[in-house]
Amino acid sequence: MQSARIIRFLKDIAANNNRPWFQEHKAEYDAVRTDFEEGIAMAIGRISEFDSTIAHLSVKDTTYRFYRDTRFSPDKSPYKRHLGAYISAHGKKALHGGYYIHIEPGHCMLACGSYWLPTNILTSCRNEIMGNIELWRSIVENRRFVNFFGTPESTSSAAVKGSEYDMASEKGFGIMHLKTAPSGFPRDYEFVQYLRMKDFCCWKQVPDTFFEGDHWLGEMVKVFKVAKPMMDFVNAVIDDYE
């Protein structure tokens, strides 16, 4: 990808987030969007080499509209300030976890997993973790996973009042965390940090220059391969409900 051009355009739209400016620069947006989508097509191809469940996806299945839905937001800016793609075997609107690629000036990121799970599925995930705690720990406490994404403890320590986190840190595991064990689960459980998680998403921020050229594809594969076993563990529960 020509990520420098993408980043430059996203900086410009952040400073000029209005329809007249966008219409004047529509050709530039079209070129940036095409470049981004070509990069996502390559990403799908590389990920499918180790995760065949996503091989059927097209770029359209994974990308989002650039136009914001402002109906219920105090921010009436008509356009997003980032480009993103969610590569999930069951589609970008499914609960089934997937791989996320995010390009935004100063906040580029690779992420993997599931978020915003309904309470009944989240409860089942917690029960599955307790029932297979040694397998879960071998997945999320190994050196490579922790180096890439950290731990729930390191993530929740930066949370607002212990309940929410905005993925602004260099790495993280779990966007939102309860202050204590969820209702119906033992507060004194030895590994309660995993029960306190309200999602099972991990992420790693990357520099704005990360996506330039084609070298990033190999680095992306390294990150996603480490995250995949965690996602697979959770997806095995989610898929019983979808």
Side-chain angles (χ1 to χ4, degrees):
M1 278 192 285
Q2 298 184 45
S3 64
R5 180 171 67 173
I6 296 173
I7 292 291
R8 185 164 57 248
F9 176 81
L10 292 173
K11 286 181 177 179
D12 287 343
I13 195 68
N16 304 276
N17 205 317
N18 59 78
R19 288 181 176 83
W21 185 93
F22 183 81
Q23 290 304 316
E24 290 178 9
H25 297 80
K26 183 64 163 51
E28 184 180 354
Y29 165 75
D30 290 340
V32 162
R33 183 79 184 189
T34 296
D35 190 43
F36 175 72
E37 291 180 349
E38 289 174 352
I40 297 305
M42 291 190 291
I44 293 171
R46 291 296 300 273
I47 295 170
S48 67
E49 292 175 4
F50 66 89
D51 185 349
S52 61
T53 67
I54 61 94
H56 66 284
L57 296 174
S58 68
V59 170
K60 185 178 180 180
D61 295 326
T62 70
T63 53
Y64 300 89
R65 297 175 71 248
F66 193 58
Y67 305 91
R68 297 181 62 248
D69 183 353
T70 62
R71 291 174 298 174
F72 308 107
S73 173
D75 179 3
K76 299 304 179 182
S77 302
Y79 308 105
K80 296 177 181 177
R81 299 168 178 84
H82 68 273
L83 292 174
Y86 185 52
I87 303 170
S88 170
H90 293 189
K92 59 191 173 187
K93 295 183 179 180
L95 295 173
H96 184 93
Y99 311 91
Y100 181 61
I101 296 170
H102 183 93
I103 300 183
E104 180 181 358
H107 191 48
C108 293
M109 175 177 58
L110 299 172
C112 185
S114 305
Y115 62 104
W116 292 349
L117 293 174
T119 301
N120 61 328
I121 299 180
L122 189 55
T123 297
S124 291
C125 289
R126 289 164 173 159
N127 282 324
E128 190 71 15
I129 289 171
M130 288 186 70
N132 298 276
I133 188 61
E134 292 309 317
L135 172 59
W136 175 256
R137 291 183 64 208
S138 72
I139 292 170
V140 302
E141 293 181 8
N142 70 73
R143 179 179 55 83
R144 295 195 72 197
F145 189 95
V146 173
N147 283 346
F148 275 143
F149 309 115
T151 65
E153 300 96 318
S154 62
T155 305
S156 62
S157 66
V160 178
K161 297 181 180 179
S163 61
E164 187 169 357
Y165 192 70
D166 63 4
M167 301 176 78
S169 68
E170 178 184 352
K171 59 186 177 181
F173 182 30
I175 303 170
M176 300 182 69
H177 305 257
L178 297 172
K179 295 179 182 179
T180 185
S183 177
F185 289 87
R187 292 192 176 191
D188 60 350
Y189 182 60
E190 183 179 0
F191 306 106
V192 71
Q193 68 269 28
Y194 301 122
L195 308 184
R196 291 174 55 240
M197 298 173 67
K198 296 186 69 176
D199 61 87
F200 299 99
C201 177
C202 58
W203 72 90
K204 174 180 173 60
Q205 291 219 15
V206 295
D208 286 358
T209 56
F210 178 83
F211 295 100
E212 190 67 26
D214 296 335
H215 178 71
W216 66 274
L217 291 162
E219 296 302 309
M220 172 201 71
V221 166
K222 292 178 184 177
V223 174
F224 285 160
K225 274 188 171 181
V226 172
K228 183 178 182 293
M230 182 277 296
M231 181 181 71
D232 289 345
F233 185 105
V234 177
N235 275 341
V237 179
I238 295 172
D239 290 349
D240 286 340
Y241 292 84
E242 285 200 319

